[in-house]
Amino acid sequence: MTDHIRLLPCFAAEGAKPVYLITDRHGGTVSRLADVTESVQLEMGERLLVHARGMLPSAPDGELRYLAVRLAESLQQVLRIAESRGERLGLLN
């Protein structure tokens, strides 16, 4: 059995520290939960992008600031997913 290290789609309680899971190539309960979490995060990002495109032309400044914060959070999640998947595919060192 070979252990694999997987970057999880969440952060440690102390802030933006990465959280890793050591698992075998078959995964397990936590790996499956991480897969579901990644899927939800990607879907939410897609919905947020559609919403942003619709409101950008006429949104008040306060709403734009709120939208920018949510878009930044979504981008952070998507980048973490990309990094995790790249590591699992052996594309990143």
Side-chain angles (χ1 to χ4, degrees):
M1 174 172 84
T2 303
D3 288 338
H4 295 276
I5 298 175
R6 176 180 180 168
L7 177 63
L8 294 178
C10 59
F11 295 99
E14 300 84 37
K17 293 181 181 180
V19 177
Y20 292 93
L21 171 68
I22 298 174
T23 185
D24 63 17
R25 64 183 177 91
H26 301 291
T29 304
V30 177
S31 287
R32 287 189 295 279
L33 180 59
D35 291 339
V36 170
T37 300
E38 287 178 353
S39 293
V40 168
Q41 289 174 333
L42 291 171
E43 182 179 337
M44 289 173 59
E46 288 175 19
R47 289 181 180 191
L48 181 59
L49 183 57
V50 168
H51 178 71
R53 286 184 173 147
M55 72 178 287
L56 281 175
S58 61
D61 289 345
E63 289 181 24
L64 287 177
R65 179 176 170 77
Y66 180 80
L67 178 62
V69 170
R70 301 290 81 83
L71 286 168
E73 290 171 351
S74 181
L75 178 59
Q76 182 179 28
Q77 292 171 348
V78 169
L79 291 173
R80 178 166 291 255
I81 292 167
E83 180 181 354
S84 176
R85 291 182 180 182
E87 287 175 353
R88 284 183 278 151
L89 292 172
L91 301 175
L92 303 174
N93 293 329

